[in-house]
Amino acid sequence: MSRLRLLPQVGKDYRPLTRGFTLLELLVVLVILGLLAGYVAPKYFSQVGKSEVKTARAQIDALEKALDQYRIDTGRYPNAEQGLAALNARPVDEPRWNGPYLKKSVPNDPWGKPYQYRNPGERGEIDVFSFGRDGQPGGDGDGADIGNWQ
């Protein structure tokens, strides 16, 4: 009985004094934590999706600015074959290239897939875009395409 303390004698009974929580108290706490997690988790994960879309838009904007600088130096945008790689490595047939136009290599989109580049573009002179979370053309929500036309 090293963990038990005995109360002073009241009559002839001794009652052990124990510390801890009952099973019911633990279950109530777990239910409360479950309810809080059920309320907070969807709000948190919806914010994560929004931040990925914002990151993709910011990266596309930076790529578009680098492409504009490439055009100022060379007189044209890189063709579809050269792609976004022309922002970091001099194309063989481009004597007026004055890059690199990005400090680092061309990033992947927030979902780990490469950005798409079209010249001529379908929605503008050039199109720089990501297929979104699903990696497929079209879609809605997190799976919607994100591009420089938005």
Side-chain angles (χ1 to χ4, degrees):
M1 289 202 328
S2 63
R3 293 184 53 190
L4 301 178
R5 225 175 47 191
L6 300 178
L7 293 175
Q9 185 174 3
V10 178
K12 295 185 178 182
D13 303 76
Y14 286 98
R15 292 186 308 169
L17 180 63
T18 59
R19 293 190 174 161
F21 298 102
T22 66
L23 181 59
L24 182 60
E25 292 169 330
L26 291 174
L27 288 174
V28 167
V29 169
L30 288 175
V31 167
I32 291 170
L33 289 174
L35 290 171
L36 286 173
Y39 177 74
V40 172
K43 292 184 182 295
Y44 171 75
F45 288 114
S46 71
Q47 293 301 319
V48 170
K50 288 178 185 176
S51 68
E52 289 171 336
V53 170
K54 287 180 182 178
T55 300
R57 285 193 176 130
Q59 288 177 334
I60 288 170
D61 185 53
L63 290 172
E64 191 174 26
K65 287 177 182 172
L67 286 164
D68 287 341
Q69 186 62 47
Y70 180 99
R71 181 180 183 190
I72 289 169
D73 288 349
T74 64
R76 63 180 181 83
Y77 287 114
N79 62 37
E81 187 177 294
Q82 294 166 331
L84 296 173
L87 296 174
N88 283 341
R90 177 191 297 270
V92 176
D93 58 344
E94 193 54 68
R96 298 186 331 189
W97 188 86
N98 194 24
Y101 298 96
L102 296 172
K103 290 182 181 180
K104 298 179 181 179
S105 64
V106 177
N108 284 334
D109 69 14
W111 302 279
K113 298 174 185 80
Y115 282 103
Q116 306 297 310
Y117 173 72
R118 287 190 188 137
N119 183 10
E122 294 176 0
R123 300 185 186 202
E125 191 172 354
I126 58 167
D127 291 345
V128 181
F129 60 98
S130 165
F131 288 127
R133 179 179 296 282
D134 63 1
Q136 302 296 320
D140 51 3
D142 285 349
D145 296 350
I146 303 162
N148 63 331
W149 57 82
Q150 296 170 333

